[in-house]
Amino acid sequence: MQSPPTGSVSSSPPGRPLRRLSIELILIVLAKIAFFALIWWIVAAHYPRPDTRPAAIEHLLAPSTHSSPETKP
């Protein structure tokens, strides 16, 4: 004698499990982006930015005015 089949037990909720999974993955990615942005802000944002004006770069690349005199043979 066989017993009548009982209702199947499904582990996934009714509806759209792929849609729920995609929403969870998108939220995880957004949380990671926010986390790394926060780390960057804590570590690197407080450093002074270099002066990138053409005059400042020219001054940086110019030869030193108080260099030691060269010896000529």
Side-chain angles (χ1 to χ4, degrees):
M1 298 258 253
Q2 293 180 344
S3 62
T6 58
S8 63
V9 177
S10 67
S11 61
S12 64
R16 299 182 176 203
L18 290 179
R19 183 174 181 166
R20 180 174 176 234
L21 179 64
S22 64
I23 291 173
E24 288 178 3
L25 290 176
I26 289 171
L27 289 177
I28 289 172
V29 168
L30 292 176
K32 285 185 177 185
I33 290 172
F35 177 70
F36 288 127
L38 178 66
I39 289 176
W40 174 84
W41 184 78
I42 290 172
V43 173
H46 299 293
Y47 287 110
R49 294 186 181 195
D51 192 5
T52 57
R53 293 177 298 142
I57 294 173
E58 182 179 331
H59 176 71
L60 182 66
L61 296 176
S64 177
T65 57
H66 56 274
S67 61
S68 62
E70 296 184 72
T71 58
K72 295 183 180 178

